[in-house]
Amino acid sequence: MATVTQVHEVRRWSMLGLGVFAQASSAVFIHGVPFLLPALTDRGMPLATAGLLVAMPTVALVCTLIAWGYVVDRVGERKVLVCGPLLMLAAGCAAANTTDDIALGALLFLGGIGAASTNGASGRVIVGWFPPQRRGLAMGIRQTAQPLGVGVGALAIPAMAGTYGVPAAILVPAIMAGVAAVGCRIGIVDPPRPEGAAADSALRANPYRDDATLWRIHLVSVLLVVPQGTVWTFALLWLHRDVGWSLAAAGVLVTATQLLGALGRIGAGAWSDRVGSRMGPLRTVAVAAVISMAALALTAWTHWWWAAIPLLIAASVITVSDNGLAFTAVAEIAGPYWSGRGLGIQNTGQNFAMAAVPPVFGALITASGFPAAFLLAAATAIAAIPLVPDDPD
């Protein structure tokens, strides 16, 4: 039977690199398209219409994550990592050549469908080819794809749109996706699956049916994404409005926290490998999220900016550090025949919660201020702590 040791070490890490690049291209498409808002509104498009257009990739992502997970479980990782980015490439090229707003929205939705493909597939490649004592580190590296994608989108898409127009900007993630498809076609090998009728039958059993472990991890991740979304969404506004920083200075700090958050994901993954547990570090991260968000609420309320700014940086790192831990645990527990769907459910729940943060917490900030929002985010993390399950035997 094939094992993870039968792949050369260089090949294993090269597949991780391809997975990160494919996921980053998806992140540029999903999270970078909203950076088109200034260019779209400058050419006379109403803000409501432009907002609806740039939301299309995210809507498609949420609608198709579980479906893509089912496809990965059925046909394997390599085909999905080729076909999904190719769909992004085709949709992006078509969107760059249309002048009709309705067609543009439909094509951005189609591209979002393609972008959703990489979430579960790239995660399964890592779990399949890396041994347990290295999976946390590898998955932490894979989780840096999102902030990297956001960074590329923030740098490239507004600049391209301003200099060459919206069509050229849309081609940025499309071309990245095309490169990712070629690279995955050449470099990705589907991880082996256990052989033998008994093992096959046991692993094909529904892991959700008689065990609440996966459901608890999903719920914990939904609760912990609320502090993450609160910091991501409102840090810039808080620094500008309450602390009094310029938008440029606030933007530099927020960008720096994104980079530190990426390092935090890697560190949390390496920590889980060292201690041989995903749930222990996940529980500790949840406790740390409570402490950092509650302390941030206190210092924001008292206007102790000397303490509030370091706490914002700490909270920005802590609140993203659970992502890779939970993602790895879901893939490991669900097994080779269910992890695609498991990871799809994991990401779908998180994206729904993330989408609810701006309107809900925006209303709370309007009524009661930023400290109340930070305190409520701490409360959601408190609710997550007792739900963290023990590591499976």
Side-chain angles (χ1 to χ4, degrees):
M1 185 176 74
T3 66
V4 292
T5 60
Q6 291 176 309
V7 171
H8 192 276
E9 188 75 4
V10 173
R11 184 66 180 275
R12 186 180 298 149
W13 287 98
S14 71
M15 286 193 282
L16 171 59
L18 288 169
V20 169
F21 187 80
Q23 183 64 32
S25 69
S26 296
V28 176
F29 201 100
I30 297 293
H31 303 291
V33 167
F35 292 116
L36 289 173
L37 276 174
L40 291 171
T41 53
D42 285 348
R43 71 183 195 185
M45 182 180 291
L47 180 58
T49 303
L52 180 61
L53 278 178
V54 301
M56 285 296 100
T58 303
V59 174
L61 175 81
V62 173
C63 290
T64 58
L65 278 169
I66 297 175
W68 273 115
Y70 177 80
V71 174
V72 174
D73 289 335
R74 296 286 293 181
V75 307
E77 296 80 3
R78 184 174 180 235
K79 291 179 180 178
V80 170
L81 285 171
V82 173
C83 293
L86 282 178
L87 182 58
M88 267 196 291
L89 171 64
C93 290
N97 287 282
T98 185
T99 57
D100 181 78
D101 291 342
I102 295 177
L104 177 59
L107 290 167
L108 290 176
F109 184 88
L110 188 63
I113 293 175
S117 66
T118 62
N119 283 269
S122 61
R124 279 176 48 118
V125 168
I126 293 168
V127 172
W129 283 122
F130 280 82
Q133 66 272 21
R134 290 189 181 178
R135 281 181 195 152
L137 172 61
M139 195 68 83
I141 294 172
R142 181 261 182 203
Q143 292 294 96
T144 65
Q146 184 182 34
L148 289 174
V150 173
V152 170
L155 290 173
I157 287 183
M160 290 292 289
T163 305
Y164 301 105
V166 171
I170 295 175
L171 286 176
V172 172
I175 292 172
M176 287 183 64
V179 174
V182 173
C184 291
R185 174 67 178 81
I186 296 171
I188 294 293
V189 178
D190 284 344
R193 298 189 182 188
E195 299 173 358
D200 187 73
S201 176
L203 290 171
R204 286 184 184 274
N206 186 344
Y208 290 92
R209 183 163 296 160
D210 299 314
D211 191 339
T213 299
L214 286 173
W215 289 119
R216 289 176 65 177
I217 295 173
H218 294 327
L219 183 54
V220 166
S221 295
V222 167
L223 291 169
L224 291 182
V225 88
V226 174
Q228 175 185 328
T230 303
V231 173
W232 274 21
T233 304
F234 297 108
L236 184 72
L237 184 63
W238 173 68
L239 288 167
H240 178 61
R241 182 182 295 177
D242 278 21
V243 185
W245 285 23
S246 69
L247 286 174
V252 169
L253 181 62
V254 170
T255 301
T257 61
Q258 289 282 321
L259 297 176
L260 291 173
L263 295 176
R265 297 174 194 225
I266 297 173
W271 173 28
S272 73
D273 289 338
R274 181 176 294 274
V275 300
S277 168
R278 313 296 178 205
M279 296 298 99
L282 180 61
R283 187 177 293 108
T284 302
V285 168
V287 172
V290 173
I291 295 171
S292 62
M293 293 304 297
L296 181 60
L298 174 62
T299 54
W301 178 59
T302 57
H303 293 183
W304 294 346
W305 307 133
W306 57 271
I309 303 304
L311 283 167
L312 173 67
I313 296 171
S316 298
V317 175
I318 291 167
T319 57
V320 301
S321 297
D322 64 288
N323 291 344
L325 299 172
F327 206 72
T328 306
V330 168
E332 290 176 332
I333 296 168
Y337 296 104
W338 275 86
S339 56
R341 280 163 283 188
L343 294 174
I345 295 170
Q346 173 78 4
N347 282 136
T348 299
Q350 287 184 302
N351 277 284
F352 269 121
M354 188 71 82
V357 166
V360 173
F361 280 74
L364 178 60
I365 290 169
T366 301
S368 304
F370 287 97
F374 297 149
L375 192 60
L376 180 59
T380 64
I382 290 176
I385 295 171
L387 293 172
V388 178
D390 294 328
D391 286 291
D393 296 330

